[in-house]
Amino acid sequence: MILLTDKGNQHSLKAIVAATLAGVALDVTIVDSTDQVVPHLRKNRLPVLDLGGGVLIFSSNSICRYLLAQGGLDTDDIQVEEWLEWEATQLQPILGPFMASVFGGSKVDSEILKPLLTYLNTSLQGKEYLVKNKLCAADISIWAALYPAQVSKPDLLSAYPNVASWVQNLGAQSAFQRGVSTVTNDKGAGSFKVSVLAQPIVQRPSTDARSAKEEEPGTAEVVTADEIKYAKEAWLHGRTTMPSPRQRNHPLLPEKGLHNVLITSALPYVNNVPHLGNIIGCVLSADVFSRFCRLRNYNSLYICGTDEYGTATETKALAEGLTPQQICDKYYRIHKDIYDWFSIDFDYFGRTTTKQQTEIAQDIFLRLHERKFLVKDTVEQLLCEKCSRFLADRFVEGICPLCNYPDARGDQCDKCGKLINATELKNPRCKVCSSSPVIKTSEHLFLDLPKLEPQLQKFFNKSSSEGDWTSNAKLITSSWIRDGLKPRCITRDLKWGTPVPLDGFRDKVFYVWFDAPIGYPSITANYTDKWEKWWKNPQEVQMYNFMAKDNVPFHSVVFPCTLLGAEDNYTLVNHLVATEYLNYEDGKFSKSRGVGVFGDMAKDTGIPSDIWRFYLLYVRPETMDSTFSWTDLVLKNNSELLNNLGNFINRGLTFLEKNFGSVLPKMILESEDEQLLALVTRELKNYKELLEKSKIRDALRHILNISRLGNQHIQASQPWVLVKGGEKERIRAGTVIGLCANISCLLSTMLLPYMPVTSSTIQQQLNASSECNVITDKFVCCLETGHKIGTPKPLFEKLDQAHIEQLKKKFGGQQQQQQQQNDSKDVKAEPVKAQTPNKPGQPQGVDAEAVKRLTDEVTKQGDAVRKLKTAKAEKSAIDAEVKKLLSLKQQLAAASGQSATTPDSSKGKKKKGGKK
């Protein structure tokens, strides 16, 4: 095999490292960077791997994978694919201009690499390699891309220790050293200069392996005659055949002959405030898809609500001194307010503490019982003798038996993520009183999953092959079935839940993960008494479930088995769409530590909800974990929204207002306009096809591609020059700006699922009819000659870096620590009230009445603090009560004639008040 490359081409590093690792003999032939080594390409491309017989590979990542495969070293894993795509579509477009600046002598701005390096640094936390701690093509590709940058700028990786260590460790391996030696000819970083400056700046790189017979990657600007013909016909005549938006009259019900789509997102648990990761993982993703379905004129219904039963609600109620129902009422309103602010447009947002939930859950249970899909078994449970109650999973904590994490819950370890049984915990403790529970037995009911496994396997094979299941959903479900299903307990010894309607078990309730998914049909039943038309109609309804990956087993195994066993013609999931996790900066969201943005805090930042929506959807963790980054938020807002999308729309409409009196002029298309129509149509089709498959993040890129095309068309045509010319030039300027106004109208429709407020604002500025809010394959002229637009105004504002730094500090946990320090100072400085005269025999300065009153108050407040701590309440709530306790103790010390800061006094009070 021959590798054709120019001197110092860093992309050749990938091939040489891969060939060395695979033991493949590679003949490296040096050619000039201008040599046309692949005859049919319009642009030169190096390196190229010549396999002989006219077969050429000219994608460096494909070359790397091909060579690794020759030695049996290529890893077939979706994460490898994702990292290679990241390198090609995100890293290279930023790294290319950066390296050109480094070697071209212009000002170098390392900040442009910060979001990418931060993401890579987070991904490498505690890892030797990128994927499953095994060297793969992703490591080679990204290492080779970064190598010239980090050797040319030695301090580039100083703020990214995980990346620096990873780069150093790979560079120490002989295969990587050989690659560097071969490409640089042992002459150092300067060897890359000529090749880097000769390479075109990457705009839209290829991510696929292509042979020499395929179209050249990165030439998306080339369109075919057929594409132009289709686009021109749609522009000229498409409006007469465009459907009008379908009227949505509630209650919405399935109709024969229509595409009936039932959309659910995982029911958010009611006991806490959702953070940004929760929001993008379920309700926001489902909202985008729901809005898209409406634009497609599908007969769709989006159902969601709060999941309110279970131990977590009891725990929260105990911590806040409320009843479970009061907790549910409180947090239902909090959730609803948050989703309203984020413009989540449910068709119905309900809750599970309803009469319909009880009726439907008990009916399904009894049908399972009658069909003998339930089994009884005696379960060993932890009993707290002090509280006189069996401890449900979330009421017990201890040391994880698998990873030794000290605060594992009785159902799952938050550190290793493994499911565990409460009785397996080491040194278990009651979450309420902290005493050690004992093991006792209790009889429970189990869903006989092994008996239902054949039906589940048949369902899964059909649904996952015919529907759009995400890779992680397929993988998780397959692994559960592969490992063999086991009976799953569906009852609990609790009070707060749906009662079990069976003699011998009437003092128990349903386990939340049996009960909660039944919330989907019960919430629908609260929406309409004809709910069965959606939920017992699999022949005419397509159901989509949106969730984070941790919810997959319950939606792909437990809930389908429940419905299959009920044998009542229930609608089962056709499309299971699961995200990975969204992390916060370099760690995880944590309410107790004050880390990360939670839903009720977002509106207080001053950043509009549409900007939050855009960024969360832009970094949506579709196939791998992603990270919320304040720096990246600024970058995406100021570049993609302000300078790209907003700039295109505002400059076009402002020009129309100033030069044509806000009235669309006559439009006579020329060849470059027709080509633009075809390119926009191509992006529109890709957008539609991706959203049809719930590829929400990827579809968003095509909106931004269209505005980029529009900006390029304005820049190339220069209407500000044409408008000053003769009549012909003025008509040309009018055509350009009229076409761009219509592109803005199309963008407003495509944006509606993502940024509904912005979409509405654009349509107001365009004075566009709601009739344009339909998505097809056609880009039509919605704004015709003579149409008068409204008043154009800037759509977006630049995010101020100083403000963002304040927010970053505020949500990074630092502000909370500082506040605690300030609170401590405030307690010490609090003045003591004037004392009453002492009674005979009392020490000077002692106020007996105050002492008695304050002693009682200290005891009462101490009990309140202990109660919160044993219930693991939020840290902010505990801190507030501790502050009150300290203040009371200081007042008590002063009333007793003691110094508030006397060490002995402090110790004495701790002994009397108990552990703080």
Side-chain angles (χ1 to χ4, degrees), residues 825-846:
K825 294 176 183 178
D826 291 343
V827 168
K828 292 180 181 179
E830 189 171 339
V832 179
K833 294 181 179 180
Q835 300 170 2
T836 57
N838 296 338
K839 293 181 180 180
Q842 286 184 338
Q844 182 63 32
V846 175

Side-chain angles (χ1 to χ4, degrees), residues 235 648 652 656 664-678 680 706 709-710 713-714 717 732-746 779-783:
W235 170 264
F648 165 67
L656 187 60
L664 262 73
K666 182 179 180 180
M667 291 174 277
I668 302 176
L669 299 181
E670 296 187 4
S671 59
E672 53 264 48
D673 303 314
E674 294 173 355
Q675 186 176 45
L676 177 61
L677 288 177
V680 170
I706 289 176
L709 288 169
H713 192 61
I714 291 177
S717 302
R732 178 66 194 140
T735 299
V736 170
I737 219 64
L739 176 54
C740 287
N742 272 280
I743 291 175
S744 296
C745 188
L746 174 66
F779 170 32
V780 305
C781 180
C782 285
L783 308 179

Side-chain angles (χ1 to χ4, degrees), residues 36 38-46 58-59 200 204-222 682:
Q36 195 75 14
V38 184
H40 79 281
L41 293 182
R42 285 176 290 279
K43 296 180 182 178
N44 191 37
R45 193 170 181 84
L46 293 172
F58 45 84
S59 159
R204 193 184 304 170
S206 168
T207 60
D208 301 323
R210 298 170 186 258
S211 71
K213 297 180 181 180
E214 293 180 287
E215 184 60 58
E216 177 190 2
T219 57
E221 70 278 2
V222 178
R682 179 188 290 178

Side-chain angles (χ1 to χ4, degrees), residues 76-116:
D76 185 16
D77 190 288
I78 188 65
Q79 289 188 334
V80 176
E81 300 281 357
E82 285 296 318
W83 276 116
L84 292 176
E85 180 184 4
W86 181 82
E87 186 268 346
T89 63
Q90 297 193 50
L91 181 60
Q92 286 294 350
I94 301 297
L95 200 56
F98 175 80
M99 291 307 302
S101 299
V102 170
F103 289 121
S106 56
K107 184 178 179 181
V108 177
D109 181 12
S110 300
E111 284 295 305
I112 64 172
L113 286 171
K114 187 175 180 179
L116 296 165

Side-chain angles (χ1 to χ4, degrees), residues 251-256 258-262 299 301 303 360 520-521 524-525 527-543 568-572:
L252 298 161
L253 296 173
E255 297 181 30
K256 286 189 177 182
L258 294 182
H259 187 36
N260 302 302
V261 181
L262 176 60
N299 185 34
L301 178 70
I303 290 293
I360 296 173
Y520 299 130
T524 311
Y527 167 71
T528 172
D529 57 4
K530 296 182 176 63
W531 65 275
E532 292 183 346
K533 290 191 173 184
W534 285 108
W535 282 99
K536 296 184 180 180
N537 192 3
Q539 295 77 23
E540 295 180 351
V541 173
Q542 288 280 305
M543 181 162 69
D568 203 15
N569 196 40
Y570 270 99
T571 304
L572 301 176

Side-chain angles (χ1 to χ4, degrees), residues 17-33:
V17 170
T20 303
L21 289 168
V24 175
L26 198 61
D27 181 4
V28 180
T29 301
I30 302 298
V31 298
D32 192 86
S33 61

